[in-house]
Amino acid sequence: MATKAARKTTTTTTRRPRRKKAEPASRGLTPAQVASESYMPSPELIQGISEDGGEVLSVYRDPLGGHTVVFAALPIDKVEPTPYQRDISEPHVKRLAGAMERLDRFLDPIIAIRKEGRYWTPNGNHRLHASKLLGGKSIMALVLPDEDVAYQILALNTEKAHNLKERSLEVIRMHRGLTGARAGRESEFAHLFEEPAFLTLGAAYEKRPRFSGGAYNPFIKRVESFLELPLADALRVREARADKLLELDDAVASVVSSLKERGLQSPYLKNFVVARINFLRFKKEGTAEFDPTVSRMISSARRFNLDKVNREDLGRMSGPLLAEDEE
């Protein structure tokens, strides 16, 4: 049973202050400072890259924060993606490989973090696979000395144009990677996970890859918060909540199947059913808890009155509907 701390949720959101526009050329380093050797990485990193069969080409300071970066050529067989990022897109890898082959150039270095004689890339997985597809021997990388940056960069990646499934899977995999490797409560890593809903949805996607997370995300965002529990305990709560969510999905799928048997066809049927049983839509303010909310929705789905659904209701939500013989 989840603890009281695990069950406690809030619907309060904090509005981020608008960023003020910076004065031109007011921050960071000059070109001369970027090239300065006053901040050299540890000799162990330089020696390690050499022992791994790589070559250090230069060392510089990044122009924004002044952090040390090592520009190196790495043996491609020693580079791999972080174990918690999104799956690659095979079509994208093939398109990228085709473009690289036409240009006969690799011009965009990956990010890499050295870990026990191998290299994790949190930003560059598709470029890595494209290079391997072309039979490359080495790959250019910006090697960062701090392993924690792998998690920070992955957090930045989740803000790119990933779909809900990709973002959720990345975040739950990051949670698994941190569990056991880091101490602390789940809430202390909120800046990496971005949204608590991603954790529960990600666990559900792992269990059911074709899970329709988009239909449930609006209400899950209202009942989820980061847990004040150690990472391992929080992960168990996420697993339990995913199971509960899939139980709801099964109940909703049964209603959708019955509606289709009555001749109602629409790609928005599941969204319609979830909206109908989502009682939170009438509760604009206040708090809500995950388990009671989902349990109530499961009960509503199992008691769903098919006779109260008409084509006009569906039409207002999703546009004109087609009868089965009109498709």
Side-chain angles (χ1 to χ4, degrees), residues 3 64 74 101 119-120 202:
T3 66
L64 183 61
L74 302 176
E101 192 168 36
Y119 296 84
W120 279 3

Side-chain angles (χ1 to χ4, degrees), residues 263-326:
L264 296 174
Q265 297 292 325
S266 168
Y268 304 100
L269 276 177
K270 179 169 285 190
N271 298 67
F272 173 82
V273 173
V274 173
R276 272 287 182 94
I277 63 176
N278 178 18
F279 62 93
L280 292 181
R281 72 185 189 278
F282 302 115
K283 186 178 180 182
K284 302 301 181 184
E285 298 179 354
T287 60
E289 296 182 0
F290 183 92
D291 285 332
T293 298
V294 177
S295 293
R296 181 172 169 180
M297 292 178 67
I298 291 172
S299 178
S300 296
R302 290 172 177 168
R303 294 182 289 104
F304 196 92
N305 191 340
L306 300 174
D307 294 331
K308 290 188 176 181
V309 178
N310 56 61
R311 296 172 63 83
E312 289 72 23
D313 291 337
L314 284 165
R316 281 193 293 270
M317 178 178 182
S318 57
L321 291 168
L322 299 176
E324 287 182 317
D325 58 357
E326 295 175 325

Side-chain angles (χ1 to χ4, degrees), residues 210-221:
R210 296 182 65 83
F211 173 63
S212 303
Y216 303 98
N217 188 41
F219 88 82
I220 294 175
K221 292 174 68 173

Side-chain angles (χ1 to χ4, degrees), residues 96-162:
L96 185 57
M100 290 165 56
E101 192 168 36
R102 287 193 301 273
L103 289 173
D104 199 27
R105 287 174 173 82
F106 179 89
L107 299 174
D108 193 2
I110 64 172
I111 306 296
I113 290 87
R114 187 172 186 266
K115 186 174 178 65
E116 300 175 353
R118 298 191 66 79
Y119 296 84
W120 279 3
T121 175
N123 191 329
N125 194 17
H126 286 89
R127 279 165 282 160
L128 172 65
H129 277 78
S131 296
K132 288 183 175 181
L133 183 62
L134 295 174
K137 300 177 181 178
S138 62
I139 192 165
M140 308 304 296
L142 304 179
V143 183
L144 308 183
D146 187 358
E147 181 183 329
D148 286 343
V149 177
Y151 298 99
Q152 300 287 349
I153 290 178
L154 193 58
L156 292 176
N157 282 348
T158 63
E159 295 177 359
K160 295 181 180 179
H162 297 10

